[in-house]
């Protein structure tokens, strides 16, 4: 499976599994972007990222962490 910037929930799940002890409300967007780009499954253009995309991923990650 190849992840794209539009796959907010799937990216969030991958991050949640890779960084289970991280509080997603405390992460900086610059750090979040780097972690997403480093995911093995991620395959999209880095330039397609925006603050809106990172906010969507962060919100999904927060929801995953609360479950």
């Amino acid at each position: 499976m190849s992840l794209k910037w539009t796959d907010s929930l799937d990216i969030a799940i991958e991050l949640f599994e890779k960084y289970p002890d991280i509080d997603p409300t405390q992460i900086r967007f610059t750090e979040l972007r780097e972690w997403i780009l480093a995911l093995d499954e991620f395959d999209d253009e880095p330039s397609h990222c925006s603050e809106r995309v990172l906010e969507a991923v962060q919100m999904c990650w927060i929801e995953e962490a609360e479950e």
Side-chain angles (χ1 to χ4, degrees):
M1 178 174 96
S2 177
L3 295 173
K4 305 292 184 194
W5 289 114
T6 55
D7 300 321
S8 302
L9 179 57
D10 293 326
I11 292 171
I13 291 169
E14 290 290 320
L15 291 170
F16 178 70
E17 290 174 357
K18 188 168 184 171
Y19 304 103
D21 297 327
I22 296 296
D23 179 354
T25 65
Q26 301 299 312
I27 191 168
R28 295 183 308 254
F29 281 167
T30 53
E31 205 170 22
L32 178 58
R33 182 179 183 275
E34 291 304 314
W35 289 359
I36 292 169
L37 292 172
L39 291 173
D40 291 337
E41 300 291 324
F42 189 78
D43 183 31
D44 203 352
E45 292 296 319
S47 61
H48 292 170
C49 179
S50 67
E51 187 172 323
R52 188 174 182 172
V53 169
L54 294 173
E55 285 175 353
V57 171
Q58 183 184 38
M59 293 307 298
C60 289
W61 190 356
I62 290 168
E63 289 175 16
E64 282 299 309
E66 290 176 348
E67 289 183 7

